[in-house]
Amino acid sequence: MEGGAYGAGKAGGAFDPHTLLRQPHTILRVVSWLFSIVVFGSIVNEGYLNSPSEGKEFCIYNRNPNACSYGVAVGVLAFLTCLLYLALDVYFPQISSVKDRKKAVLSDIGVSAFWAFLWFVGFCYLANQWQVSKPKDNPLNEGTDAARAAIAFSFFSIFTWAGQAVLAFKRYQIGADSALFSQDYTDPSQDSSMPYAPYAEPSAGPDPAGVGGTYQQPASAFDPEPQGYQSQGY
């Protein structure tokens, strides 16, 4: 169940790295983390060219420093955000508060959708600036592969972050019926304190009461008792 995938089991349970690493949302986070490294690494290393005539560096994207700055900023912040939510995935099973679990999943939805939007803007911005770049600014075609890689992985990042938002939304939808938002979740098959279901006694003949006899578990000591004196009708 997808809801249990994000901190399945009882709150305070032991951390299982193998289970965590097999979860779809964890895989998408790691992929997004790698994509962010490619984007800001490509721009930092090869996104700035030296101008012999001017004696200073300029951005490979149409000499627009804002384009390079945007790509680096989004890449670095996405890198840190991935690390933050990977840490949250590890810590999530230890969260005992139902409200805190809901807040964590809701923040995952909002942050992932927000970063998908930022990557969409970044892809459009970098692609546009690259398209209008003048060949005379880079006659030797230096750093062109890195510039294209930053654009391509910005595009791929749109879908990895959108995928995280979708998975988080699905977890929120089914969280109430799973271990996700359960403060004291216990597998019913392992819980000996669970009451037995009513047992229907087979009837061999007509039932004097008009219905098949059933065995009901005695009232629990925790059930509310009638308050006050109950008068008998005469």
Side-chain angles (χ1 to χ4, degrees):
M1 181 178 292
E2 192 66 24
Y6 195 25
K10 188 175 181 178
F15 167 62
D16 184 2
H18 299 289
T19 301
L20 177 66
L21 293 175
R22 289 196 298 266
Q23 302 305 331
H25 65 276
T26 304
I27 295 173
L28 283 178
R29 290 202 210 286
V30 173
V31 172
S32 299
W33 178 71
L34 294 174
F35 287 177
S36 66
I37 294 176
V38 173
V39 173
F40 78 78
S42 299
I43 297 176
V44 169
N45 292 329
E46 301 185 55
Y48 294 90
L49 304 177
N50 292 316
S51 175
S53 60
E54 300 176 11
K56 62 179 181 181
E57 292 184 336
F58 62 89
C59 179
I60 195 172
Y61 297 103
N62 194 33
R63 287 179 169 261
N64 186 350
N66 293 329
C68 287
S69 297
Y70 185 91
V72 172
V74 171
V76 171
L77 293 175
F79 170 84
L80 296 176
T81 303
C82 287
L83 292 181
L84 175 64
Y85 275 88
L86 282 171
L88 178 61
D89 291 340
V90 173
Y91 179 69
F92 194 90
Q94 308 300 324
I95 302 176
S96 59
S97 171
V98 176
K99 291 183 178 180
D100 290 342
R101 288 193 169 202
K102 287 183 178 180
K103 289 178 181 178
V105 178
L106 285 174
S107 71
D108 192 7
I109 298 172
V111 171
S112 298
F114 178 68
W115 277 109
F117 171 74
L118 289 182
W119 280 118
F120 173 76
V121 173
F123 164 72
C124 295
Y125 189 24
L126 295 180
N128 174 262
Q129 293 300 300
W130 178 250
Q131 186 177 12
V132 297
S133 297
K134 301 176 180 62
K136 67 178 182 179
D137 291 335
N138 187 16
L140 300 179
N141 290 326
E142 298 178 72
T144 55
D145 290 340
R148 293 190 182 100
I151 295 172
F153 283 93
S154 294
F155 178 74
F156 299 150
S157 295
I158 299 171
F159 298 99
T160 58
W161 284 96
Q164 292 180 61
V166 171
L167 290 178
F169 180 72
K170 289 182 178 180
R171 289 196 299 274
Y172 182 79
Q173 281 187 314
I174 63 177
D177 299 325
S178 70
L180 180 59
F181 297 144
S182 176
Q183 190 164 3
D184 295 309
Y185 173 80
T186 304
D187 186 352
S189 64
Q190 304 297 328
D191 188 3
S192 59
S193 65
M194 293 292 290
Y196 294 97
Y199 167 73
E201 184 180 1
S203 177
D207 190 346
V211 294
T214 60
Y215 168 76
Q216 296 288 345
Q217 185 184 12
S220 170
F222 296 102
D223 290 341
E225 297 181 356
Q227 300 296 326
Y229 172 77
Q230 301 295 326
S231 61
Q232 300 287 338
Y234 294 94

